[in-house]
Amino acid sequence: MSPDQRLADTDACARLIVERVGADLRVAAPLGLGKPHGLLNALYRRVHADTWRSMTLYTALSLTRPQPKPGLEARFLQPFLDRHFGADCEDPQYALDQARGTLPPNVAVHEFYLQSGAMLHSGSAQRSYISQNYTHVARDLVVQDINLLVQLVARRETPAGVRYSLSCNPDLTLDFLDRLKAAGKPRPLCVAVVHPQLPYLSGNAEVAEDFFDIELAPAASPPLFALPRQPVDTVEYALGLHASALVKDGGCLQIGIGALSDALVKALLLRHQDNRSWRAALQALDSGQTTHAAAAHYGGLDAFESGLYGASEMVMDGFMHLQRAGILKRRSWDNMALERASAAGRLPADVPGGHYLRGAFFLGTRELYDWLAATEAADPDAIDMCRVSNVNQLYGDHQALASLQRRGARFFNTCMMATLLGAAVSDTLEDGHVVSGVGGQYNFVAMAHELPNGRSVLLLRATRQGSAGVQTNIRWNYGQTTIPRHLRDLVVTEYGVADLRGKSDSECIEAMLSITDARFLDALAAEAKAHGKLSLDFHIPDAWRQHTPEHLRETLAPWREQGLLPTFPFGSDFDEVEQRLLPALKWLQAEGATWRGRYRLLRAVLQRREPAAGEDEALLRMGLQAPATLGERLQRRLLQAALRH
């Protein structure tokens, strides 16, 4: 059967939904890209206006455009955001209201993963957050009496009829509906919102025409939410270089998103394409030889001959770059791919096939979305978008196959802090405020311990800029934990690799100290000794005293000057003037965070220096070429000081 209603008007669809579901909407919507913002906004407006109705939304990663602060930040970001996202981009209104603290009392929003840092100051979001492993979400939704499921989909006309692809988000929908059926609970009203730009991915992401009850195909759709490409700094490149030596040729790769992941991917490309330069940079960085020791046991120093297989809950741009470079190429069959290939007569045992990338959801740049669509058209077996239960765990009927697929697995995730005893903090601050969420991190760490030759690798910046100045991200102890210390494995900072698996507490502490910023070594070692966890006669080696940002910049300067470690490794969405402004604005932000920094900033403003190259163009871009008010004149002086610095 086809959907019993096909609509083109979003408000009409919202009216139909409330007529069929009733006054109490209990909604499930996919995380990230698969959320149909237009329909959710129409439902939200209706519930907001009709206070006798209620709406409870279960979702995650509600994507909103950055909301710049007034002043220089807004002058820089707002024109860029308007250009990058377009005038038609639609934010989920409930997320904007929740961040502002204006969510109406008849609406509740429960997320298991928050856009990083976006809801730190929202009391409603903090109270309503649900802490869950990604693979447990479908199970826990079953008891929430969900009566409506809405999802962005791709649509295709075939000789056999209409087919839908869950495309970017087969992650939870299929598991959730199967669990409902097994529990004997009624199926919710399922609404497909067709987006013409969403890549149609077949295989496990494809569903039949009768899967949905209502189809909404709006006459006009806003562009897909696309992430801007981020700059990568020296610290991040050092992290990426160390981490890239841990990847085993012929193995399996999982990576997340952000600058650290971009740095890792760029380092893997350098290892494969310019192995001599990569080895030289790694040798210069690895003064303590911790990375080379780990590479000898678990990773490698050569280019990728057999290639890698990707198994990652999130498919992001990095996998696209690795595939184009001939690194992501090791293929594996699954049961559905075997059936499809056999039916097409394409499966003699000696014919290569199967997929080289398996994921549960995707999010990235427009280039990624175009690549996914082109890959599906040219090689439909190459990418397998599937249930999160088939990606993030080994249990179930796919266990044996998953173990074979993920041989030599390296699961890379980032964390905010780590303790000397090997616990990791990735989602929550000490006072309980949630920054993001657990997501699938615990799943992958636990899976690494179960897989033969599997390793979990947590990437961590050694320091951060706090209100009191530079602070260490390696702590003696912390009030929140995402990964417990009994699952400690490999931890990487810009200063090297700490191999913690199977080590005693004192060995673990020494390994963590070996990748700590030199400014915090003595205090951390003293604290460990005070608690009886480190021998009193332990002395910090001289090599560790070189672990400073200044030494790091000097070490990697030759490779940056050669253009091998560019600020934007995969191109930039910022124009040339904006790229010149970025480091100046970043410096202003860092200096303005502390009293000492503000004093240095005042001195820089009062100093008379020669204008910087391109200063006039930068002032014009920021609308400060002819300041009219005292506030604008102050902004101009601050910006000039930053550019000249």
Side-chain angles (χ1 to χ4, degrees), residues 202-206 309 331-348 351-358 379-386 390 401 405:
S202 53
N204 287 298
E206 197 171 34
Y309 169 80
R331 292 188 180 243
S332 175
W333 292 99
D334 68 4
N335 293 334
M336 176 175 283
L338 287 169
E339 293 171 4
R340 291 170 64 208
S342 180
R346 292 190 290 111
L347 194 63
V351 175
H355 60 274
Y356 50 69
L357 177 58
R358 162 170 276 193
D379 186 0
D381 291 328
I383 299 169
D384 178 28
M385 297 300 298
C386 62
N390 283 353
L401 182 60
Q405 291 171 339

Side-chain angles (χ1 to χ4, degrees), residues 456-478:
S456 160
V457 188
L458 293 180
L459 306 178
L460 169 73
R461 294 171 179 85
T463 63
R464 69 182 183 278
Q465 183 71 40
S467 58
V470 177
Q471 299 176 342
T472 179
N473 284 329
I474 296 177
R475 310 283 295 265
W476 164 248
N477 200 12
Y478 199 72

Side-chain angles (χ1 to χ4, degrees), residues 92-133:
Q93 190 60 44
Y94 68 83
L96 298 179
D97 288 353
Q98 190 170 44
R100 290 191 288 252
T102 58
L103 205 64
N106 59 334
V107 175
V109 179
H110 298 281
E111 299 200 59
F112 70 88
Y113 197 96
L114 303 171
Q115 193 169 354
S116 186
M119 295 294 179
L120 270 174
H121 305 293
S122 168
S124 167
Q126 293 294 323
R127 291 188 297 272
S128 300
Y129 167 76
I130 301 176
S131 185
Q132 295 167 299
N133 285 336

Side-chain angles (χ1 to χ4, degrees), residues 143-272:
V143 300
Q144 298 297 344
D145 298 324
I146 302 297
N147 54 28
L148 174 64
L149 186 151
V150 297
Q151 177 146 3
L152 211 63
V153 302
R155 184 181 190 273
R156 175 179 286 174
E157 298 273 359
T158 74
V162 172
R163 301 283 288 179
Y164 297 104
S165 171
L166 303 185
S167 186
C168 56
N169 283 91
D171 50 338
L172 291 172
T173 300
L174 301 171
D175 281 336
F176 168 56
L177 293 178
D178 282 354
R179 283 182 172 271
L180 273 180
K181 184 177 180 180
K185 296 213 169 190
R187 193 175 190 267
L189 183 70
C190 294
V191 180
V193 180
V194 178
H195 197 294
Q197 296 175 5
L198 197 64
Y200 191 101
L201 299 175
S202 53
N204 287 298
E206 197 171 34
V207 296
E209 186 175 14
D210 62 357
F211 187 87
F212 291 101
D213 304 300
I214 297 174
E215 177 196 290
L216 171 62
S221 298
L224 292 173
F225 191 99
L227 297 175
R229 288 169 288 192
Q230 297 294 311
V232 177
D233 64 21
T234 299
V235 166
E236 291 153 351
Y237 267 127
L239 264 153
L241 287 163
H242 287 298
S244 64
L246 303 175
V247 179
K248 188 177 181 64
D249 188 22
C252 171
L253 184 66
Q254 180 257 332
I255 45 179
I257 198 166
L260 289 183
S261 296
D262 287 348
L264 168 59
V265 170
K266 181 62 177 177
L268 289 171
L269 293 172
L270 190 61
R271 171 180 163 181
H272 185 66

Side-chain angles (χ1 to χ4, degrees), residues 540-563:
I540 295 168
D542 290 340
W544 300 0
R545 300 288 185 187
Q546 296 182 355
H547 292 169
T548 64
E550 295 77 17
H551 186 262
L552 208 62
R553 284 194 294 270
E554 291 172 6
T555 300
L556 289 182
W559 291 273
R560 298 216 73 155
E561 290 167 3
Q562 294 173 50

Side-chain angles (χ1 to χ4, degrees), residues 85 119 324:
F85 290 101
M119 295 294 179
R324 287 173 171 172

